[in-house]
Amino acid sequence: MSAITVRGVTLLPPCQVTAGQFRVIVPVMAGDLAPLPAARAGDLVELRLDALAPLEEETLSTILLKTRDQIGPGKPLLATIRTAREGGLAPLPAEQYAALCRAVCRTGAADLLDVELSAGEQTACALRDAAHAAGMAVVFSSHDFDKTPDAGAMTRRLCRMGELGADIAKLAVMPRTAADAAALLQATAGAAAAMPHTPLITMSMGPLGAVTRVCGAAFGSCAGFATAGVSSAPGQPDAAALRAALAALHQMNL
């Protein structure tokens, strides 16, 4: 894989990314689009469709098309259905999850699709193909809201996403100690060395993991999530604060 450019916004692989090129993704919960005007300040907007009630193909399609209209043609849109098994709001079996992801592809409104690796590798690869056929890039993702695996296990998980054809590999974990946050950065660096041409998005969540959201680019991560209202995961910083921190790091040539 290599750099992914969507609507003029480029997500760089580890061999190229720097703090000055780190992209800010602002999430919006689909049940409340009020933060959308502020979210447009992000480089990309993530629409969390698992917040919809009911989460059905018709409502999903309507909200995606409405969001695309509101953010305009120049802003990349990442569509995400975060299931309960990955810390989200939707208690979906794998079959229903896959069907809804395919419905996202059919709308043509989103530019990137988040695909949970926990749906199973066969399902994830089928969704990858459906998204690519629709002209969308694919983020394979994995989330652990309970713990931080050891660095080697996290590196292997990211590398497996690359082996399976992810355009972007994403990993988020929950730290219990400062060492856990350091392990996430170590894993990112390991994956960056093994897959220098596959863009990575990694983070350690919560207060202990806040530092990883700021300095991730130094270890190979190309983007991070920041809020313009309600956060979608523990520890997400304010978008303006994150940009200020990244600018300071860039000035230090990190």
Coordinates of all heavy atoms in Angstrom, one line a residue, residues 11-107:
L11 N -3.4 10.7 3.5 CA -3.0 10.0 4.7 C -1.7 9.3 4.3 O -1.7 8.4 3.5 CB -4.1 9.0 5.1 CG -5.4 9.7 5.5 CD1 -6.5 8.7 5.6 CD2 -5.3 10.4 6.8
L12 N -0.6 9.6 5.0 CA 0.7 9.2 4.6 C 1.1 7.9 5.3 O 0.7 7.6 6.4 CB 1.7 10.2 4.9 CG 1.7 11.5 4.0 CD1 2.6 12.6 4.6 CD2 2.0 11.2 2.6
P13 N 1.9 7.1 4.6 CA 2.5 5.9 5.3 C 3.6 6.2 6.2 O 4.1 7.4 6.2 CB 3.0 5.1 4.1 CG 3.4 6.1 3.1 CD 2.3 7.2 3.2
P14 N 4.0 5.3 7.1 CA 5.0 5.6 8.1 C 6.3 6.2 7.5 O 7.0 7.0 8.2 CB 5.2 4.3 8.8 CG 3.9 3.6 8.6 CD 3.5 3.9 7.2
C15 N 6.7 5.8 6.3 CA 8.0 6.2 5.8 C 7.9 7.7 5.4 O 9.0 8.2 5.1 CB 8.3 5.3 4.6 SG 7.2 5.4 3.2
Q16 N 6.8 8.3 5.4 CA 6.7 9.7 5.0 C 6.1 10.6 6.0 O 6.3 11.9 6.0 CB 5.8 9.8 3.7 CG 6.3 9.1 2.5 CD 5.4 9.1 1.3 OE1 4.8 10.2 1.1 NE2 5.3 8.1 0.6
V17 N 5.3 10.1 7.0 CA 4.5 11.0 7.9 C 5.4 11.8 8.9 O 6.4 11.3 9.3 CB 3.4 10.2 8.6 CG1 4.1 9.2 9.7 CG2 2.4 11.1 9.2
T18 N 5.0 13.0 9.1 CA 5.6 13.8 10.2 C 4.5 14.5 10.9 O 3.3 14.5 10.5 CB 6.5 14.9 9.6 OG1 5.7 15.9 8.8 CG2 7.5 14.3 8.6
A19 N 4.8 15.2 12.0 CA 3.8 15.9 12.8 C 3.1 16.9 12.0 O 1.9 17.2 12.1 CB 4.4 16.5 14.0
G20 N 3.8 17.6 11.0 CA 3.2 18.6 10.2 C 2.2 18.0 9.2 O 1.4 18.8 8.6
Q21 N 2.2 16.7 9.0 CA 1.3 16.1 8.0 C 0.4 15.1 8.7 O -0.3 14.4 8.0 CB 2.2 15.3 7.0 CG 3.1 16.2 6.2 CD 4.3 15.5 5.6 OE1 4.9 14.6 6.2 NE2 4.6 15.8 4.3
F22 N 0.3 15.2 10.0 CA -0.6 14.3 10.7 C -2.1 14.9 10.6 O -2.3 16.1 10.7 CB -0.2 14.4 12.2 CG -0.9 13.4 13.1 CD1 -0.5 12.1 13.2 CD2 -2.0 13.8 13.9 CE1 -1.1 11.2 14.1 CE2 -2.7 12.9 14.7 CZ -2.2 11.6 14.8
R23 N -3.0 14.0 10.2 CA -4.4 14.5 9.9 C -5.3 14.3 11.1 O -5.2 13.4 11.9 CB -4.9 13.7 8.7 CG -4.1 13.8 7.4 CD -3.9 15.3 7.1 NE -3.2 15.4 5.8 CZ -2.7 16.6 5.4 NH1 -2.9 17.7 6.1 NH2 -2.0 16.6 4.2
V24 N -6.2 15.3 11.3 CA -7.1 15.3 12.4 C -8.5 14.8 11.9 O -9.1 15.4 10.9 CB -7.2 16.7 13.0 CG1 -8.3 16.7 14.1 CG2 -5.9 17.1 13.5
I25 N -9.0 13.8 12.5 CA -10.3 13.2 12.2 C -11.3 13.6 13.3 O -11.0 13.3 14.5 CB -10.3 11.7 12.0 CG1 -9.2 11.3 11.0 CG2 -11.6 11.1 11.6 CD1 -8.9 9.8 11.0
V26 N -12.4 14.2 12.9 CA -13.4 14.7 13.9 C -14.6 13.8 13.8 O -15.2 13.7 12.8 CB -13.8 16.1 13.8 CG1 -14.8 16.5 14.8 CG2 -12.5 17.0 13.9
P27 N -14.9 13.0 14.9 CA -16.1 12.2 14.8 C -17.4 12.9 15.2 O -17.4 13.8 16.0 CB -15.8 11.1 15.9 CG -15.0 11.9 16.9 CD -14.2 12.9 16.1
V28 N -18.5 12.5 14.5 CA -19.8 12.9 14.8 C -20.7 11.8 15.0 O -20.7 10.8 14.1 CB -20.3 13.8 13.7 CG1 -21.8 14.3 13.9 CG2 -19.5 15.1 13.5
M29 N -21.5 11.7 16.0 CA -22.5 10.7 16.3 C -23.7 10.9 15.4 O -24.3 12.0 15.4 CB -22.8 10.6 17.7 CG -21.6 10.5 18.7 SD -20.5 9.1 18.3 CE -21.5 7.7 19.0
A30 N -24.1 9.9 14.6 CA -25.1 10.0 13.6 C -26.5 10.4 14.3 O -27.4 10.9 13.6 CB -25.3 8.8 12.8
G31 N -26.7 10.1 15.6 CA -27.9 10.4 16.2 C -28.1 11.9 16.5 O -29.2 12.4 16.8
D32 N -27.0 12.7 16.3 CA -27.0 14.1 16.6 C -26.0 14.8 15.7 O -24.8 14.8 15.9 CB -26.7 14.4 18.1 CG -26.6 15.9 18.4 OD1 -27.1 16.7 17.5 OD2 -26.1 16.3 19.4
L33 N -26.5 15.4 14.6 CA -25.6 16.1 13.6 C -25.3 17.5 14.0 O -24.7 18.2 13.2 CB -26.2 16.0 12.2 CG -26.4 14.5 11.7 CD1 -26.9 14.6 10.3 CD2 -25.1 13.8 11.7
A34 N -25.7 18.0 15.2 CA -25.5 19.4 15.5 C -24.0 19.8 15.5 O -23.7 20.9 15.1 CB -26.1 19.6 16.9
P35 N -23.1 18.9 15.9 CA -21.7 19.3 15.8 C -21.1 19.3 14.4 O -19.9 19.7 14.3 CB -21.0 18.2 16.7 CG -22.0 17.5 17.4 CD -23.2 17.6 16.5
L36 N -21.8 19.0 13.4 CA -21.2 18.9 12.0 C -20.5 20.2 11.6 O -19.5 20.1 11.0 CB -22.3 18.5 11.0 CG -22.3 17.1 10.6 CD1 -23.4 16.8 9.6 CD2 -21.0 16.6 10.1
P37 N -21.1 21.4 11.8 CA -20.4 22.6 11.4 C -19.0 22.7 12.0 O -18.1 23.1 11.3 CB -21.4 23.7 11.9 CG -22.7 23.1 11.9 CD -22.5 21.7 12.3
A38 N -18.9 22.4 13.3 CA -17.6 22.5 13.9 C -16.7 21.3 13.4 O -15.5 21.5 13.3 CB -17.7 22.4 15.4
A39 N -17.3 20.2 13.1 CA -16.5 19.0 12.7 C -15.8 19.3 11.4 O -14.8 18.7 11.1 CB -17.4 17.8 12.6
R40 N -16.4 20.2 10.6 CA -15.8 20.5 9.3 C -14.4 21.1 9.4 O -13.6 21.1 8.4 CB -16.7 21.4 8.5 CG -18.0 20.7 8.0 CD -18.6 21.5 6.8 NE -19.0 22.8 7.2 CZ -20.3 23.1 7.6 NH1 -21.2 22.1 7.6 NH2 -20.6 24.3 8.0
A41 N -14.0 21.5 10.6 CA -12.7 22.0 10.8 C -11.7 20.9 10.8 O -10.5 21.2 10.7 CB -12.6 22.8 12.2
G42 N -12.1 19.7 10.9 CA -11.2 18.5 10.9 C -10.7 18.3 9.4 O -11.4 18.8 8.5
D43 N -9.6 17.6 9.3 CA -9.2 17.2 7.9 C -10.2 16.2 7.3 O -10.4 16.2 6.1 CB -7.8 16.6 8.0 CG -6.8 17.6 8.5 OD1 -6.7 18.7 7.9 OD2 -6.1 17.3 9.4
L44 N -10.7 15.3 8.2 CA -11.7 14.4 7.8 C -12.8 14.4 8.8 O -12.6 14.7 10.0 CB -11.1 12.9 7.7 CG -10.0 12.7 6.7 CD1 -8.7 12.9 7.4 CD2 -10.1 11.2 6.2
V45 N -14.0 13.9 8.4 CA -15.1 13.8 9.3 C -15.5 12.3 9.4 O -15.6 11.6 8.4 CB -16.4 14.6 8.9 CG1 -17.6 14.2 9.8 CG2 -16.1 16.1 8.9
E46 N -15.6 11.8 10.6 CA -16.1 10.4 10.8 C -17.5 10.4 11.3 O -17.9 11.1 12.2 CB -15.3 9.6 11.9 CG -15.7 8.2 12.1 CD -15.2 7.5 13.3 OE1 -15.0 8.2 14.3 OE2 -14.8 6.3 13.2
L47 N -18.4 9.7 10.6 CA -19.8 9.6 10.9 C -20.0 8.2 11.6 O -19.8 7.2 11.0 CB -20.7 9.7 9.7 CG -22.2 9.7 10.0 CD1 -22.6 10.9 10.9 CD2 -23.0 9.6 8.7
R48 N -20.3 8.3 12.9 CA -20.5 7.1 13.7 C -22.0 6.6 13.6 O -22.8 7.1 14.3 CB -20.1 7.3 15.2 CG -18.6 7.3 15.4 CD -18.1 5.9 15.5 NE -18.8 5.1 16.5 CZ -18.4 5.1 17.8 NH1 -17.3 5.7 18.2 NH2 -19.1 4.4 18.7
L49 N -22.2 5.7 12.6 CA -23.5 5.3 12.3 C -24.2 4.4 13.4 O -25.4 4.2 13.4 CB -23.5 4.6 10.9 CG -23.2 5.5 9.8 CD1 -22.7 4.7 8.6 CD2 -24.5 6.3 9.4
D50 N -23.3 3.8 14.2 CA -23.9 3.0 15.3 C -24.8 3.7 16.3 O -25.5 3.1 17.1 CB -22.8 2.2 16.0 CG -21.7 3.1 16.5 OD1 -21.0 3.8 15.7 OD2 -21.5 3.2 17.8
A51 N -24.7 5.1 16.2 CA -25.5 5.9 17.1 C -27.0 6.0 16.6 O -27.8 6.6 17.3 CB -24.9 7.3 17.3
L52 N -27.2 5.5 15.4 CA -28.6 5.6 14.8 C -29.5 4.7 15.5 O -29.2 3.5 15.9 CB -28.6 5.3 13.4 CG -28.0 6.3 12.4 CD1 -28.0 5.8 11.0 CD2 -28.9 7.6 12.4
A53 N -30.8 5.1 15.7 CA -31.8 4.2 16.3 C -33.1 4.6 15.5 O -33.6 5.7 15.7 CB -32.0 4.4 17.8
P54 N -33.6 3.6 14.7 CA -33.1 2.3 14.5 C -31.9 2.3 13.5 O -31.9 3.2 12.6 CB -34.3 1.5 13.9 CG -35.0 2.6 13.1 CD -34.9 3.9 14.0
L55 N -31.0 1.4 13.6 CA -29.9 1.2 12.7 C -30.4 0.3 11.6 O -30.2 -1.0 11.7 CB -28.7 0.7 13.4 CG -27.4 0.5 12.6 CD1 -27.1 1.7 11.8 CD2 -26.3 0.1 13.5
E56 N -31.0 0.8 10.6 CA -31.5 0.1 9.4 C -31.0 0.7 8.2 O -30.5 1.9 8.2 CB -33.0 0.1 9.5 CG -33.6 -0.6 10.7 CD -35.1 -0.4 10.8 OE1 -35.7 0.4 10.0 OE2 -35.7 -1.1 11.6
E57 N -31.0 0.0 7.1 CA -30.4 0.4 5.8 C -31.0 1.8 5.4 O -30.3 2.7 4.9 CB -30.6 -0.6 4.7 CG -30.0 -0.2 3.4 CD -29.9 -1.3 2.4 OE1 -30.1 -2.5 2.8 OE2 -29.7 -1.0 1.2
E58 N -32.4 1.9 5.5 CA -33.0 3.2 5.0 C -32.5 4.4 5.8 O -32.2 5.4 5.2 CB -34.5 3.0 5.1 CG -35.3 4.2 4.6 CD -36.8 4.1 4.6 OE1 -37.2 3.0 4.9 OE2 -37.5 5.0 4.3
T59 N -32.5 4.3 7.2 CA -32.1 5.4 8.0 C -30.6 5.7 7.8 O -30.1 6.8 7.7 CB -32.4 5.1 9.5 OG1 -31.8 3.9 9.9 CG2 -33.9 5.1 9.7
L60 N -29.8 4.6 7.6 CA -28.4 4.7 7.4 C -28.1 5.5 6.1 O -27.3 6.5 6.1 CB -27.8 3.3 7.4 CG -26.3 3.1 7.0 CD1 -25.8 1.9 7.7 CD2 -26.1 3.0 5.5
S61 N -28.8 5.1 5.0 CA -28.6 5.8 3.8 C -29.0 7.3 3.8 O -28.3 8.1 3.3 CB -29.4 5.1 2.7 OG -29.0 3.7 2.5
T62 N -30.1 7.5 4.5 CA -30.6 8.9 4.6 C -29.6 9.8 5.3 O -29.3 10.9 4.9 CB -32.0 8.9 5.3 OG1 -32.9 8.2 4.5 CG2 -32.5 10.4 5.5
I63 N -29.1 9.3 6.4 CA -28.2 10.1 7.2 C -26.8 10.3 6.5 O -26.2 11.4 6.6 CB -28.0 9.5 8.7 CG1 -27.6 10.7 9.6 CG2 -27.0 8.4 8.7 CD1 -28.7 11.6 9.9
L64 N -26.4 9.3 5.8 CA -25.1 9.4 5.1 C -25.3 10.5 4.0 O -24.4 11.3 3.8 CB -24.8 8.1 4.4 CG -23.9 7.2 5.3 CD1 -23.8 5.8 4.7 CD2 -22.5 7.7 5.4
L65 N -26.3 10.4 3.2 CA -26.5 11.4 2.2 C -26.7 12.8 2.7 O -26.2 13.8 2.2 CB -27.7 11.0 1.3 CG -27.5 9.7 0.5 CD1 -28.9 9.3 -0.1 CD2 -26.5 9.9 -0.6
K66 N -27.4 12.9 3.8 CA -27.6 14.2 4.5 C -26.2 14.8 5.0 O -25.9 16.0 4.8 CB -28.5 14.1 5.7 CG -28.8 15.4 6.4 CD -29.8 15.3 7.5 CE -30.1 16.6 8.2 NZ -31.1 16.4 9.3
T67 N -25.4 13.9 5.5 CA -24.1 14.3 6.0 C -23.2 14.8 4.9 O -22.5 15.8 5.0 CB -23.4 13.2 6.8 OG1 -24.3 12.8 7.9 CG2 -22.1 13.6 7.4
R68 N -23.2 14.0 3.8 CA -22.4 14.4 2.7 C -22.8 15.8 2.2 O -22.0 16.6 1.8 CB -22.5 13.3 1.6 CG -22.1 13.7 0.2 CD -20.7 14.3 0.2 NE -19.7 13.4 0.6 CZ -18.5 13.7 1.1 NH1 -18.2 15.0 1.2 NH2 -17.6 12.8 1.5
D69 N -24.1 16.0 2.1 CA -24.6 17.3 1.6 C -24.1 18.4 2.6 O -23.7 19.5 2.1 CB -26.1 17.3 1.5 CG -26.7 18.6 1.0 OD1 -26.4 18.9 -0.1 OD2 -27.4 19.2 1.8
Q70 N -24.1 18.2 3.9 CA -23.8 19.2 4.8 C -22.3 19.5 4.9 O -21.9 20.7 5.1 CB -24.3 18.9 6.2 CG -25.8 18.9 6.3 CD -26.3 18.9 7.8 OE1 -25.6 19.3 8.7 NE2 -27.5 18.4 8.0
I71 N -21.5 18.5 4.7 CA -20.0 18.8 4.8 C -19.4 19.2 3.5 O -18.3 19.8 3.5 CB -19.2 17.6 5.4 CG1 -19.3 16.4 4.4 CG2 -19.7 17.1 6.7 CD1 -18.4 15.2 4.8
G72 N -20.2 19.1 2.4 CA -19.7 19.6 1.1 C -18.8 18.6 0.4 O -18.4 17.6 1.0
P73 N -18.5 18.9 -0.9 CA -17.8 18.0 -1.7 C -16.3 17.9 -1.4 O -15.6 17.0 -1.9 CB -18.0 18.5 -3.1 CG -18.3 20.0 -2.9 CD -19.0 20.1 -1.6
G74 N -15.8 18.9 -0.6 CA -14.3 18.9 -0.4 C -13.8 18.2 0.8 O -12.6 18.3 1.1
K75 N -14.7 17.6 1.6 CA -14.3 17.0 2.9 C -14.5 15.5 2.8 O -15.5 15.0 2.6 CB -15.2 17.6 4.0 CG -14.8 17.2 5.4 CD -13.5 17.8 5.8 CE -13.6 19.3 5.9 NZ -12.3 20.0 6.4
P76 N -13.4 14.8 3.1 CA -13.5 13.3 3.2 C -14.4 12.8 4.3 O -14.4 13.4 5.4 CB -12.1 12.8 3.4 CG -11.2 14.0 3.0 CD -12.0 15.2 3.3
L77 N -15.2 11.8 4.0 CA -16.1 11.3 5.0 C -15.8 9.8 5.3 O -15.8 9.0 4.4 CB -17.5 11.4 4.5 CG -18.6 10.9 5.5 CD1 -18.6 11.6 6.8 CD2 -20.0 11.0 4.8
L78 N -15.5 9.5 6.5 CA -15.3 8.1 7.0 C -16.5 7.6 7.6 O -17.0 8.2 8.6 CB -14.1 8.1 8.0 CG -13.9 6.8 8.9 CD1 -13.6 5.6 8.0 CD2 -12.8 7.1 9.9
A79 N -17.1 6.5 7.1 CA -18.3 5.9 7.7 C -17.9 4.7 8.6 O -17.1 3.8 8.2 CB -19.2 5.4 6.6
T80 N -18.4 4.8 9.8 CA -18.1 3.8 10.8 C -19.3 3.2 11.5 O -20.2 4.0 12.0 CB -17.2 4.4 11.9 OG1 -15.9 4.8 11.3 CG2 -16.9 3.3 13.0
I81 N -19.5 1.9 11.6 CA -20.5 1.3 12.4 C -19.7 0.5 13.5 O -19.2 -0.6 13.3 CB -21.3 0.3 11.6 CG1 -22.0 1.0 10.4 CG2 -22.4 -0.4 12.5 CD1 -22.7 0.1 9.4
R82 N -19.6 1.1 14.6 CA -18.8 0.5 15.7 C -19.7 -0.4 16.5 O -20.7 0.0 17.2 CB -18.2 1.6 16.6 CG -17.3 1.1 17.7 CD -16.0 0.5 17.2 NE -15.3 1.5 16.4 CZ -14.8 1.3 15.2 NH1 -15.1 0.2 14.5 NH2 -14.1 2.3 14.6
T83 N -19.4 -1.7 16.5 CA -20.2 -2.7 17.2 C -19.9 -2.7 18.7 O -18.9 -2.2 19.2 CB -20.0 -4.1 16.6 OG1 -18.7 -4.5 16.9 CG2 -20.3 -4.1 15.1
A84 N -20.8 -3.3 19.5 CA -20.6 -3.4 20.9 C -19.4 -4.2 21.3 O -18.7 -3.9 22.3 CB -21.9 -4.0 21.5
R85 N -19.1 -5.2 20.4 CA -17.9 -6.0 20.8 C -16.6 -5.2 20.6 O -15.5 -5.6 21.1 CB -17.8 -7.2 19.8 CG -17.6 -6.9 18.4 CD -17.5 -8.2 17.5 NE -17.5 -7.9 16.1 CZ -18.6 -7.8 15.4 NH1 -19.8 -8.1 15.9 NH2 -18.6 -7.5 14.1
E86 N -16.7 -4.0 20.0 CA -15.5 -3.2 19.8 C -15.7 -1.8 20.5 O -15.0 -0.8 20.2 CB -15.2 -2.9 18.3 CG -14.9 -4.1 17.5 CD -13.4 -4.3 17.3 OE1 -12.6 -3.4 17.5 OE2 -13.0 -5.4 17.0
G87 N -16.6 -1.8 21.5 CA -16.8 -0.6 22.3 C -17.8 0.4 21.8 O -17.9 1.5 22.3
G88 N -18.6 0.0 20.7 CA -19.5 0.9 20.1 C -20.9 0.7 20.7 O -21.1 0.0 21.7
L89 N -21.9 1.2 20.0 CA -23.3 1.3 20.5 C -24.2 0.2 19.8 O -25.3 0.1 20.3 CB -23.9 2.7 20.2 CG -23.2 3.8 20.9 CD1 -23.8 5.1 20.4 CD2 -23.2 3.7 22.4
A90 N -23.7 -0.5 18.8 CA -24.6 -1.4 18.1 C -24.3 -2.8 18.4 O -23.2 -3.3 18.0 CB -24.4 -1.1 16.6
P91 N -25.2 -3.5 19.1 CA -25.0 -5.0 19.4 C -25.4 -5.8 18.2 O -26.4 -6.5 18.1 CB -26.0 -5.2 20.5 CG -27.1 -4.2 20.3 CD -26.4 -3.0 19.7
L92 N -24.5 -5.8 17.1 CA -24.9 -6.5 15.9 C -24.1 -7.8 15.7 O -22.9 -7.9 15.9 CB -24.4 -5.6 14.7 CG -25.1 -4.2 14.6 CD1 -24.5 -3.4 13.5 CD2 -26.6 -4.4 14.3
P93 N -24.8 -8.8 15.2 CA -24.1 -10.0 14.8 C -23.4 -9.7 13.5 O -23.7 -8.8 12.8 CB -25.3 -11.0 14.5 CG -26.5 -10.2 14.3 CD -26.3 -8.9 15.1
A94 N -22.4 -10.6 13.2 CA -21.5 -10.3 12.1 C -22.2 -10.2 10.8 O -21.9 -9.3 9.9 CB -20.4 -11.4 12.0
E95 N -23.3 -11.0 10.6 CA -24.0 -11.0 9.3 C -24.7 -9.6 9.1 O -24.7 -9.1 8.0 CB -25.0 -12.1 9.3 CG -24.4 -13.5 9.3 CD -24.0 -14.0 10.8 OE1 -24.4 -13.2 11.7 OE2 -23.4 -15.0 10.9
Q96 N -25.3 -9.1 10.2 CA -26.0 -7.9 10.1 C -25.1 -6.7 9.9 O -25.3 -5.8 9.1 CB -26.9 -7.6 11.3 CG -27.8 -6.4 11.1 CD -28.7 -6.2 12.4 OE1 -28.7 -7.0 13.3 NE2 -29.6 -5.2 12.3
Y97 N -23.9 -6.8 10.6 CA -22.9 -5.8 10.5 C -22.4 -5.7 9.0 O -22.3 -4.6 8.5 CB -21.7 -6.1 11.4 CG -20.5 -5.3 11.2 CD1 -20.4 -4.0 11.6 CD2 -19.4 -5.8 10.6 CE1 -19.3 -3.2 11.4 CE2 -18.2 -5.1 10.4 CZ -18.2 -3.8 10.8 OH -17.1 -3.0 10.6
A98 N -22.1 -6.9 8.5 CA -21.7 -6.9 7.1 C -22.7 -6.3 6.1 O -22.4 -5.6 5.2 CB -21.3 -8.3 6.7
A99 N -24.0 -6.7 6.3 CA -25.0 -6.2 5.4 C -25.1 -4.6 5.5 O -25.3 -4.0 4.5 CB -26.4 -6.8 5.8
L100 N -25.0 -4.1 6.7 CA -25.1 -2.6 6.8 C -23.8 -2.0 6.2 O -24.0 -0.9 5.6 CB -25.2 -2.3 8.3 CG -26.6 -2.6 8.9 CD1 -26.5 -2.5 10.4 CD2 -27.7 -1.7 8.3
C101 N -22.7 -2.6 6.4 CA -21.5 -2.0 5.7 C -21.6 -2.0 4.2 O -21.2 -1.0 3.5 CB -20.2 -2.8 6.1 SG -19.7 -2.5 7.8
R102 N -22.2 -3.0 3.7 CA -22.5 -3.1 2.2 C -23.5 -2.0 1.8 O -23.3 -1.3 0.7 CB -23.0 -4.4 1.8 CG -21.9 -5.5 1.9 CD -22.4 -6.8 1.2 NE -21.4 -7.9 1.4 CZ -21.4 -8.8 2.3 NH1 -22.4 -8.7 3.3 NH2 -20.5 -9.7 2.4
A103 N -24.4 -1.7 2.7 CA -25.4 -0.6 2.4 C -24.7 0.7 2.4 O -25.0 1.6 1.6 CB -26.5 -0.6 3.5
V104 N -23.7 0.9 3.2 CA -22.9 2.1 3.2 C -22.2 2.3 1.9 O -22.2 3.4 1.2 CB -21.8 2.1 4.3 CG1 -20.8 3.3 4.2 CG2 -22.5 2.2 5.7
C105 N -21.6 1.2 1.4 CA -21.0 1.3 0.1 C -21.9 1.7 -1.1 O -21.6 2.4 -2.0 CB -20.3 -0.1 -0.3 SG -19.0 -0.6 0.9
R106 N -23.1 1.2 -1.0 CA -24.1 1.4 -2.1 C -24.6 2.9 -2.1 O -25.0 3.4 -3.2 CB -25.3 0.5 -1.9 CG -25.1 -0.9 -2.3 CD -26.4 -1.7 -2.4 NE -27.1 -1.9 -1.1 CZ -26.9 -2.9 -0.3 NH1 -26.0 -3.8 -0.6 NH2 -27.6 -2.9 0.8
T107 N -24.5 3.6 -1.0 CA -24.9 5.0 -1.0 C -24.0 5.9 -1.9 O -24.5 6.9 -2.4 CB -25.0 5.6 0.4 OG1 -23.6 5.8 0.9 CG2 -25.8 4.7 1.3

